[in-house]
């Protein structure tokens, strides 16, 4: 289990995590790229703004995707968005990014984690409330961050 | 692949192995007949065009002038760095390859070997007899943070990049998982860095030719934990070039050609979270299998390997993906020094991407250059010259495994 305090951590790491928690910067899910927002992605982001995470389900074969995609990888049929209700996950892998790409330099260090839900679906997001070095397999909860009234992103809490 | 064998008359197929026939009857044997290398480093004295000329010059000096080259692949990975679009035209002009057909192939860090794979196809099919393959990258004219950002754009721009998953972060995600699954201490990764720097210090083309101790490597500043500075390859400028020719033509250039014996290519899922395992690179395993099958050899036949050590964890995983060690046992090769130049399977005795440098588009060509010069006994220092290289392997991975090329190269004399 994850200890709540770890003396081996530097104070700069802890303060850095605090910075990551204050998620108000310009870099956000689906908003940093030049890729145009599609109606499908717009629906996903609108649902997220209401605090609902959507997965996608293939209308032909039923395969599920997280993060969602508009076309099924297997048969290229259209997928439909459905509410994703799982919240508990285990940490599959992580990294603490000390040296960040230029756009995110002010937020470093921040922690990126891949969580695995009991259903087997995985999700990649920031872990934002760590008090010590993460441990593979530890329990995490999915949570949401409201950036403004139109912009919400998902994140991991331990 | 399937369709070409289907077209053969069924009588011919009956008692023959289709795979062998495909290569012996339908493809010309192709060899590397000359090679050139620019100094890797922070080359603010040069841009893509000057670096390209530096890599081609030794080939020209060896007597292979522009009029002897039928066509070229002139490639770099990221146009963001130079702002130059369609740059193969610029490079071809700069090198004086007037009116020679050229093209650019791009696949992130495998741009160099993808270029060679494309050129091999054209020469083996008989479209051209002699081709120049040149890989180049100029990365140091922007800050490290900017370069990191450009490289991060090789991740999924919608679902990964916004979380700031840089290129080192992808490999750190693999390292975390590998270290947890196999209980691997970070010091083992540091030992790979120590080896790379040991050999880089002896390579005149290396970007960072100095040695490092396990303690220094282990305690260096964190970049993307668990990886630190000495786990990461360098942001480098540089170029490398080779000339390939069909067997009939090769004899006109050299008595010592290096045959391209096996080519394997593979791919892995775009998002790293979607991979079943993070302790190996699926595309690398399939690429290795394809290359071994085509060459008719196995991992035990390889005398030396150049592997894609963009990060120390990548080299460790490569030992296993290439079949030099069982899954989880790669550490034994570095701990027992089997991957040193006098060990059972020498790996990256030129300093690797870690110490020699990693100018994206040049890297794969530079790997082939190193095998060619080791085979010819031209590694200069006896302390890094590998004994009697008959078969070499180059393993080049792009992004975090979305592209992989493996080449098996054979001494032709
Ligand atoms: Zn489907």
């Amino acid at each position: 289990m994850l200890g709540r305090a770890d003396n081996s951590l530097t104070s700069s790491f802890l303060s850095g995590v605090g910075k990551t928690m204050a998620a108000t910067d310009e870099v956000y899910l689906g908003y940093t790229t030049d890729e145009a927002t599609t109606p499908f992605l717009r629906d996903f982001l609108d649902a997220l703004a209401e605090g609902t995470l959507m997965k996608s389900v293939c209308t032909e074969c039923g395969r599920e995707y997280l993060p969602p995609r508009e076309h099924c990888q297997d048969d290229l049929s259209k997928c439909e968005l459905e509410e994703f209700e799982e919240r508990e996950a285990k940490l599959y892998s992580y990294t603490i990014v000390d040296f960040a790409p230029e756009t995110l330099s002010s937020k470093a260090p921040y922690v990126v984690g891949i969580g695995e839900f009991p259903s087997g679906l995985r999700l990649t997001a920031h872990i934002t409330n760590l008090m010590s070095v993460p441990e593979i397999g530890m329990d995490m909860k999915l949570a949401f961050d409201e950036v403004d009234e139109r912009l919400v992103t998902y994140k991991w809490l331990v | 692949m399937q369709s070409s064998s289907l077209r053969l008359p069924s009588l011919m197929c009956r008692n023959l192995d289709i795979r062998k026939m495909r290569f012996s009857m339908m493809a010309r044997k192709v060899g590397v007949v000359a090679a050139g290398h620019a100094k890797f480093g922070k080359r603010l004295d040069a841009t893509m065009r000057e670096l390209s000329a530096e890599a081609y010059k030794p080939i020209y000096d060896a007597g292979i002038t522009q009029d002897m080259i039928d066509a070229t692949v002139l490639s770099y990975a990221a146009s963001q760095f130079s702002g130059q679009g369609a740059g193969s035209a610029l490079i071809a002009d700069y090198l004086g390859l007037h009116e020679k057909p050229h093209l650019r192939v791009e696949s992130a860090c495998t741009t160099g070997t993808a270029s060679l794979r494309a050129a091999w196809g054209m020469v083996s099919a008989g479209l051209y007899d002699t081709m120049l393959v040149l890989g180049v990258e100029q990365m140091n004219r922007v800050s490290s943070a900017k370069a990191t950002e450009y490289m991060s754009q090789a991740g999924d721009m919608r679902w990964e990049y916004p979380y700031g998953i840089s290129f080192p972060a992808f490999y750190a995600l693999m390292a975390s998982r590998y270290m947890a699954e196999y209980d691997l201490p970070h010091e083992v990764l540091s030992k790979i860095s120590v080896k790379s720097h040991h050999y880089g210090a002896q390579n005149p083309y290396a970007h960072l030719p100095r040695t490092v101790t396990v303690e220094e490597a282990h305690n260096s500043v964190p970049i993307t934990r668990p990886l630190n500075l000495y786990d990461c390859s360098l942001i480098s400028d540089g170029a490398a070039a080779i000339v390939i020719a069909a067997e009939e033509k090769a004899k006109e250039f050299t008595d010592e050609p290096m045959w391209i014996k096996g080519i394997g290519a593979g791919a892995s899922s775009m998002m790293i979270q979607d991979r079943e395992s993070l302790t190996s690179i699926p595309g690398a395993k399939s690429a290795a299998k394809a290359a071994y099958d085509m060459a008719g050899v196995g991992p035990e036949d390889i005398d030396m390997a150049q592997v894609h050590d963009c990060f120390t964890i990548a080299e460790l995983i490569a030992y296993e993906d290439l079949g030099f060690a069982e899954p989880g046992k790669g550490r034994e090769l570095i701990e027992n020094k089997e991957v040193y130049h006098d060990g059972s399977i020498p790996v990256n005795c030129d300093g690797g991407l870690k110490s020699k440098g990693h100018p994206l588009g040049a890297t794969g060509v530079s790997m082939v250059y190193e095998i060619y010069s080791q085979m010819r006994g031209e590694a200069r220092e006896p302390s890094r010259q590998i004994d009697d290289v008959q078969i070499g392997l180059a393993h080049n991975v792009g992004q975090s495994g979305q592209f992989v090329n493996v080449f098996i190269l054979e001494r032709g004399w």
Side-chain angles (χ1 to χ4, degrees):
Chain A
M1 279 304 296
L2 176 76
R4 278 288 154 191
D6 182 339
N7 292 335
S8 70
L9 284 172
T10 62
S11 55
S12 71
F13 167 67
L14 293 171
S15 65
V17 170
K19 260 197 285 178
T20 319
M21 286 174 72
T24 54
D25 290 21
E26 62 293 336
V27 176
Y28 260 96
L29 179 66
Y31 282 80
T32 54
T33 78
D34 294 332
E35 198 183 338
T37 301
T38 63
F40 184 87
L41 183 61
R42 190 69 257 162
D43 288 346
F44 169 79
L45 293 167
D46 286 346
L48 202 56
E50 302 297 319
T52 305
L53 179 65
M54 307 294 265
K55 64 184 174 185
S56 68
V57 182
C58 174
T59 52
E60 281 301 312
C61 72
R63 185 169 167 185
E64 300 191 336
Y65 296 95
L66 195 68
R69 38 191 294 158
E70 190 166 352
H71 296 91
C72 175
Q73 202 171 40
D74 293 336
D75 47 35
L76 298 170
S77 303
K78 281 285 178 84
C79 294
E80 279 175 357
L81 290 170
E82 272 182 29
E83 185 169 353
F84 181 76
E85 289 171 342
E86 290 182 83
R87 290 292 175 270
E88 314 279 321
K90 302 262 187 215
L91 181 63
Y92 186 73
S93 197
Y94 75 94
T95 176
I96 302 167
V97 178
D98 293 276
F99 183 81
E102 189 175 77
T103 320
L104 279 161
S105 292
S106 64
K107 299 178 94 180
Y110 52 86
V111 186
V112 179
I114 300 174
E116 188 171 274
F117 294 101
S119 62
L121 292 176
R122 292 183 189 157
L123 195 60
T124 305
H126 285 150
I127 310 175
T128 62
N129 68 333
L130 279 164
M131 297 298 283
S132 67
V133 169
E135 262 180 62
I136 304 288
M138 74 183 187
D139 294 319
M140 301 192 299
K141 271 193 172 50
L142 193 74
F144 300 95
D145 242 345
E146 191 177 326
V147 181
D148 59 44
E149 71 280 4
R150 291 284 294 159
L151 185 51
V152 171
T153 190
Y154 50 81
K155 62 179 181 179
W156 296 112
L157 298 176
V158 294
Chain B
M1 181 181 283
Q2 288 290 332
S3 60
S4 55
S5 55
L6 285 176
R7 266 188 240 114
L8 293 166
S10 59
L11 268 176
M12 290 176 66
C13 296
R14 199 158 289 162
N15 296 315
L16 287 171
D17 173 32
I18 298 291
R19 173 173 285 137
K20 270 187 195 148
M21 192 161 68
R22 220 177 70 226
F23 294 112
S24 61
M25 294 181 63
M26 310 193 69
R28 296 198 293 176
K29 195 167 166 182
V30 178
V32 176
V33 296
H37 208 289
K39 169 89 170 83
F40 284 7
K42 193 167 185 169
R43 293 292 308 272
L44 298 180
D45 60 319
T47 68
M48 231 163 53
R49 63 187 88 194
E50 292 86 8
L51 291 166
S52 300
E54 201 176 313
Y56 177 52
K57 184 70 162 96
I59 293 171
Y60 178 92
D61 288 346
I64 304 181
T65 50
Q66 293 91 332
D67 54 306
M68 297 162 84
I69 292 166
D70 298 333
T72 62
V73 184
L74 309 168
S75 292
Y76 51 100
S79 7
Q80 299 102 307
F81 285 109
S82 63
Q84 174 69 55
S88 65
L90 179 134
I91 298 167
D93 176 82
Y94 197 76
L95 298 181
L97 293 154
H98 304 297
E99 296 176 19
K100 302 286 183 184
H102 59 84
L103 62 90
R104 174 189 170 205
V105 170
E106 184 273 314
S107 59
C109 317
T110 54
T111 291
T113 48
S115 299
L116 179 56
R117 188 152 62 96
W120 175 88
M122 290 182 259
V123 175
S124 72
L127 185 61
Y128 304 116
D129 288 333
T130 306
M131 287 185 77
L132 171 71
V133 176
L134 186 148
V136 60
E137 209 77 47
Q138 161 63 261
M139 306 171 72
N140 275 300
R141 288 182 178 267
V142 300
S143 70
S144 295
K146 196 66 166 170
T148 303
E149 182 154 328
Y150 288 155
M151 286 186 279
S152 306
Q153 291 169 359
D156 187 310
M157 288 298 283
R158 182 182 289 174
W159 302 115
E160 291 179 320
Y161 172 85
Y163 291 101
I165 310 182
S166 60
F167 191 54
F170 283 114
Y171 279 89
L173 287 164
M174 292 188 219
S176 291
R177 187 71 203 177
Y178 190 107
M179 290 164 81
E181 278 190 33
Y182 293 116
D183 195 23
L184 181 85
H186 180 264
E187 283 86 348
V188 175
L189 298 180
S190 300
K191 286 179 182 173
I192 291 174
S193 183
V194 169
K195 172 181 68 74
S196 303
H197 279 274
H198 169 73
Y199 289 116
Q202 305 175 51
N203 183 350
Y205 297 121
H207 182 165
L208 204 60
R210 62 178 163 81
T211 57
V212 62
T213 66
V214 175
E215 291 69 32
E216 285 167 335
H218 178 59
N219 296 321
S220 60
V221 296
I223 299 293
T224 49
R225 279 176 270 175
L227 302 180
N228 65 30
L229 185 66
Y230 276 96
D231 290 308
C232 303
S233 57
L234 299 159
I235 293 170
S236 290
D237 312 323
I242 55 175
V243 173
I244 61 170
E247 186 172 17
E248 312 87 88
K249 199 82 184 174
K251 292 166 191 154
E252 293 176 22
F253 296 115
T254 179
D255 294 330
E256 299 185 345
M258 177 171 79
W259 302 121
I260 296 171
K261 195 173 168 66
I263 305 177
S268 316
S269 70
M270 180 65 193
M271 282 189 76
I272 199 166
Q273 69 163 46
D274 294 338
R275 297 188 192 165
E276 202 174 319
S277 163
L278 289 184
T279 61
S280 82
I281 294 176
K285 287 201 286 192
S286 54
K289 186 181 183 317
Y292 287 136
D293 284 353
M294 177 174 164
V297 302
E300 65 284 355
D301 299 310
I302 305 301
D303 298 314
M304 68 169 289
Q306 291 298 119
V307 312
H308 198 88
D309 63 322
C310 47
F311 301 93
T312 49
I313 184 68
E315 179 164 328
L316 186 70
I317 287 175
Y319 299 160
E320 298 171 13
D321 287 344
L322 294 168
F324 302 147
E326 294 293 314
K329 305 274 193 201
R331 61 183 294 177
E332 292 171 11
L333 292 180
I334 183 68
E335 287 178 320
N336 300 330
K337 293 201 163 189
E338 298 292 357
V339 279
Y340 276 69
H341 77 287
D342 49 359
S344 59
I345 176 67
V347 173
N348 293 0
C349 297
D350 60 346
L353 284 55
K354 174 69 204 79
S355 171
K356 184 176 67 177
H358 183 22
L360 309 176
T363 293
V365 185
S366 173
M367 288 174 170
V368 175
Y369 173 95
E370 172 65 12
I371 296 171
Y372 186 64
S373 58
Q374 285 276 2
M375 231 170 232
R376 294 157 68 96
E378 292 171 353
R380 293 182 196 83
E381 305 293 335
S383 52
R384 79 173 197 94
Q385 174 68 50
I386 301 159
D387 238 14
D388 192 27
V389 177
Q390 294 292 331
I391 296 181
L393 181 149
H395 155 273
N396 194 190
V397 179
Q399 287 179 241
S400 55
Q402 286 83 346
F403 309 95
V404 187
N405 292 309
V406 173
F407 274 78
I408 293 175
L409 303 153
E410 181 186 40
R411 183 169 164 167
W413 65 98

